[in-house]
Amino acid sequence: MDELIRIGIAEYAISKQPVILRTAGLGSCVGVVIYDQERGLSSMAHVMLPDSAISRNREAEIGKFADTAILEIVKRLRANGALRLRAKIAGGAQMFQFKYEHESMRIGERNIASVKDMLQKTGIPLVAEDVGGTNGRTIEFHSKSGRLVIRTVNVGTLEI
């Protein structure tokens, strides 16, 4: 059985071993999986917010923001020999319905857009996604097979 690594909110993990990376409680947050299957390298980040510009302590909050989390993960994976990185993402739900939705309240949409933008800027193809909606998710990435298992509240299980 592969080791299970739990990633909390605003955290990230990188592994060189066969593992299962899991994060729960993805509401408006986005789970980002970046991996090189041929080299056995995998990572997951539980991104809370789109942009680190609002951070007072960027170094301590790398995993919290789409821009810093993705840049750090890509840098570390490439330093470990990654050549063919790919990404899968899930989450970014609109958890709260407001009568007058202000742009700042649309965190899920903004997180998805920022994650996709950072993947494009770093040259990493997005090979699968399950984003949006109004329900929370738990995701599990199985590094050996490259499967991302997504359990969505009130919807069921999907594999991408």
Side-chain angles (χ1 to χ4, degrees):
M1 183 74 176
D2 294 337
E3 178 188 2
L4 173 65
I5 299 174
R6 288 181 174 87
I7 292 98
I9 295 171
E11 294 178 351
Y12 68 94
I14 296 169
S15 180
K16 299 181 228 175
Q17 311 299 322
V19 290
I20 297 170
L21 300 169
R22 177 189 294 157
T23 194
L26 288 172
S28 59
C29 298
V30 174
V32 181
V33 174
I34 301 174
Y35 62 104
D36 180 333
Q37 200 164 351
E38 291 79 17
R39 299 236 184 290
L41 297 165
S42 58
S43 68
M44 181 183 284
H46 186 128
V47 170
M48 255 181 92
L49 294 168
D51 187 353
S52 65
I54 64 165
S55 178
R56 287 199 192 95
N57 188 1
R58 228 177 259 184
E59 301 309 309
E61 300 181 318
I62 289 171
K64 188 174 190 176
F65 304 99
D67 57 345
T68 52
I70 291 171
L71 287 174
E72 181 68 16
I73 285 170
V74 169
K75 180 177 86 177
R76 291 170 119 208
L77 289 170
R78 288 189 174 142
N80 278 290
L83 296 174
R84 200 165 154 237
L85 291 173
R86 291 175 292 223
K88 295 182 178 184
I89 64 173
Q94 181 62 38
M95 298 303 292
F96 307 103
Q97 301 302 323
F98 296 99
K99 192 170 183 183
Y100 304 102
E101 250 182 60
H102 188 268
E103 180 64 27
S104 67
M105 300 309 292
R106 295 160 51 143
I107 302 294
E109 272 179 43
R110 290 172 50 224
N111 280 340
I112 295 164
S114 185
V115 163
K116 287 182 175 182
D117 183 54
M118 288 308 299
L119 290 172
Q120 188 173 25
K121 283 180 180 170
T122 53
I124 298 168
L126 177 61
V127 296
E129 66 180 90
D130 179 41
V131 295
T134 56
N135 296 309
R137 294 170 174 90
T138 293
I139 63 171
E140 241 180 40
F141 182 70
H142 298 255
S143 67
K144 249 191 252 176
S145 66
R147 292 180 310 130
L148 182 62
V149 179
I150 304 154
R151 289 180 196 84
T152 306
V153 177
N154 298 324
V155 175
T157 302
L158 170 69
E159 201 173 288
I160 60 173

